[in-house]
Amino acid sequence: MKFEKGKFLGYRRSDGRVGVRNHVLILPTITCATKAARQITELVHGTVSFVHQHGCAQVGVDYEQTFRTYVGMGLNPNVYGVVVLGLGCETHQARNVAKEIAASGKRVEVVSIQDEGGTLDAIAQGAKLAARLVQEASEVQREWCDFSELIIGTECGGSDACSGLSANPAVGYVSDKIVELGGTSILAETTELIGAEHLLANRAKNEHVAKRVYEVIDAMEKRSINMGVDIRTGNPSPGNIKGGLSSLEEKSLGAANKAGKSTLNELINYAERPTEKGLVWMDTPGHDIEQLTGMVAGGAQIVLFTTGRGTPTGSPIAPVIKITTNTGVFERMSENMDINGGTIIEGKETVEQVGENILEEISKVASGKLTKAEILMQHDFGIWRIGPTF
């Protein structure tokens, strides 16, 4: 199939947004329900789920952030419908999560393990409801959509000395193109922007956004100080150092390249949906899975993930396109990697050429092509906890 530049075949949802996948999500609101959720996905083709350790004994802003993440996953336009699966006595009540998702017009069902009389009956009921939703979803047809409908998440993990020279600048080129076409690009990884914050603040659309840049960086640094630890014991990681990165600042300068040259329009909290189009910064940690989950919960339909060391990371509901910073990793981990950005280092392609390759891949993936992470069912999920468990 020949793709027109800036176009893809997506699923139009009732709230007007567009999905690039058509999943039925089995959403466990408590760690006790994750086993049953996985059993349902094994029984019903077309469903996805995830394992986590959250949902109970959480309070305050920590409770709110986890709740927002659950709801955001269900609201992501890559999801046709949701079966919210709870235990019954947990803090994050399944019916409350379902109510927020259903307000969008999306198909939602609720199952409680305690109300059903136990795990086996809950699995049976959940599977019946999921099967019905999957059949409904199978009738939805793709239609031509513009890149202006896309929210692209950007991420780097397992970085090396080539990250800031090849794959990250190529993703930055793509980010600028998405913005030019009226779409949205999310920059994340606050931890890995320490030392480069001034570059982004200088590109902020107004003084309020510039101030927020310094506020979130300061808050991230203070978390480390309050714990009495040096943030550099975790960033750069041992793999980053082995890959040639000398400091957090060097890593940050490379990571910031994913943001291209566009104006920074907004800075949002973890798992929040952008209220503006263009370049948006989401305040997330540097942990690959937690930042990936935050961006997807914020509405990202596709994530561009650069790596110099290699990582299999994926999402249960959003395709993750893996872009290597060097050819060695692309060849060594070919079953995990989608695009080789190492050709830039070798002088075979320019940043712009690799960027155009990524844009073409976005069109294909958004229209149904499976990424390597999807093929391997790499359904990773993790929420950034910002409070103690009680």
Side-chain angles (χ1 to χ4, degrees):
M1 180 186 296
K2 185 172 177 60
F3 291 93
E4 185 180 339
K5 202 167 186 178
K7 300 277 189 180
F8 68 97
L9 286 163
Y11 297 100
R12 180 73 60 183
R13 302 304 183 195
S14 59
D15 63 359
R17 295 196 292 165
V18 174
V20 305
R21 294 294 181 265
N22 202 32
H23 297 304
V24 169
L25 174 64
I26 314 301
L27 199 167
T29 58
I30 176 69
T31 183
C32 313
T34 58
K35 173 67 174 178
R38 290 186 68 180
Q39 291 289 98
I40 293 170
T41 64
E42 291 175 9
L43 286 167
V44 184
H45 174 73
T47 60
V48 291
S49 189
F50 46 78
V51 173
H52 63 86
Q53 64 183 58
H54 312 289
C56 208
Q58 293 180 261
V59 299
V61 293
D62 187 51
Y63 167 89
E64 292 168 6
Q65 183 154 290
T66 295
F67 184 83
R68 184 169 68 244
T69 305
Y70 289 156
V71 172
M73 293 294 282
L75 288 176
N76 188 291
N78 289 352
V79 174
Y80 168 81
V82 188
V83 176
V84 184
L85 179 63
L87 175 60
C89 58
E90 66 270 25
T91 307
H92 287 88
Q93 285 288 297
R95 294 191 182 281
N96 295 336
V97 173
K99 182 180 178 180
E100 290 291 322
I101 297 171
S104 70
K106 187 165 292 194
R107 292 279 283 110
V108 183
E109 301 286 356
V110 182
V111 175
S112 165
I113 293 174
Q114 290 174 348
D115 288 349
E116 293 296 331
T119 299
L120 296 180
D121 286 337
I123 291 171
Q125 178 63 8
K128 288 177 184 178
L129 294 170
R132 195 177 305 155
L133 290 175
V134 167
Q135 190 162 53
E136 290 176 16
S138 70
E139 296 185 81
V140 181
Q141 300 296 308
R142 289 183 181 267
E143 61 183 70
W144 285 107
C145 304
D146 296 325
F147 270 27
S148 61
E149 313 251 29
L150 288 178
I151 299 178
I152 300 294
T154 65
E155 182 174 353
C156 52
S159 302
D160 70 350
C162 297
S163 296
L165 302 172
S166 58
N168 285 2
V171 168
Y173 173 88
V174 172
S175 177
D176 286 340
K177 289 294 183 183
I178 294 291
V179 170
E180 286 175 22
L181 292 168
T184 303
S185 176
I186 299 178
L187 176 70
E189 306 168 290
T190 300
T191 315
E192 296 173 20
L193 293 170
I194 295 172
E197 63 270 22
H198 60 291
L199 301 176
L200 290 156
N202 289 342
R203 288 161 48 189
K205 78 167 187 177
N206 56 38
E207 194 173 317
H208 170 72
V209 175
K211 184 180 178 182
R212 282 278 289 145
V213 168
Y214 291 109
E215 286 175 349
V216 299
I217 290 291
D218 183 59
M220 189 65 77
E221 289 178 322
K222 283 180 177 175
R223 287 188 186 98
S224 174
I225 294 169
N226 290 339
M227 288 180 65
V229 299
D230 187 338
I231 198 170
R232 291 169 296 184
T233 59
N235 242 312
S237 68
N240 295 152
I241 295 169
K242 190 174 181 181
L245 289 173
S246 63
S247 64
L248 176 56
E249 290 80 4
E250 182 184 9
K251 186 177 182 182
S252 295
L253 289 169
N257 281 334
K258 301 193 305 296
K261 300 176 181 178
S262 301
T263 299
L264 179 63
N265 286 340
E266 187 177 22
L267 207 156
I268 58 177
N269 293 324
Y270 185 85
E272 281 187 343
R273 191 193 304 183
T275 62
E276 295 195 25
K277 294 206 170 194
L279 178 62
V280 175
W281 176 349
M282 179 181 286
D283 183 18
T284 77
H287 187 282
D288 290 346
I289 311 303
E290 291 180 359
Q291 63 184 281
L292 175 62
T293 299
M295 290 189 290
V296 174
Q301 302 109 313
I302 293 178
V303 176
L304 306 179
F305 191 124
T306 69
T307 181
R309 304 292 294 168
T311 169
T313 307
S315 165
I317 65 173
V320 178
I321 300 174
K322 291 291 176 45
I323 306 145
T324 64
T325 72
N326 64 80
T327 300
V329 167
F330 183 77
E331 293 176 345
R332 189 168 62 254
M333 296 185 67
S334 59
E335 72 270 23
N336 299 107
M337 303 299 138
D338 299 289
I339 291 178
N340 182 18
T343 53
I344 297 170
I345 300 296
E346 297 170 327
K348 295 178 181 178
E349 290 183 293
T350 64
V351 167
E352 292 76 14
Q353 286 172 322
V354 172
E356 288 295 328
N357 294 343
I358 297 170
L359 284 167
E360 184 178 354
E361 189 73 0
I362 289 173
S363 288
K364 292 178 180 178
V365 169
S367 300
K369 178 183 177 181
L370 296 179
T371 64
K372 299 291 182 64
E374 287 181 290
I375 292 168
L376 295 176
M377 294 186 290
Q378 192 79 33
H379 296 167
D380 300 320
F381 180 88
I383 302 173
W384 182 22
R385 289 291 301 271
I386 53 174
T389 301
F390 287 97

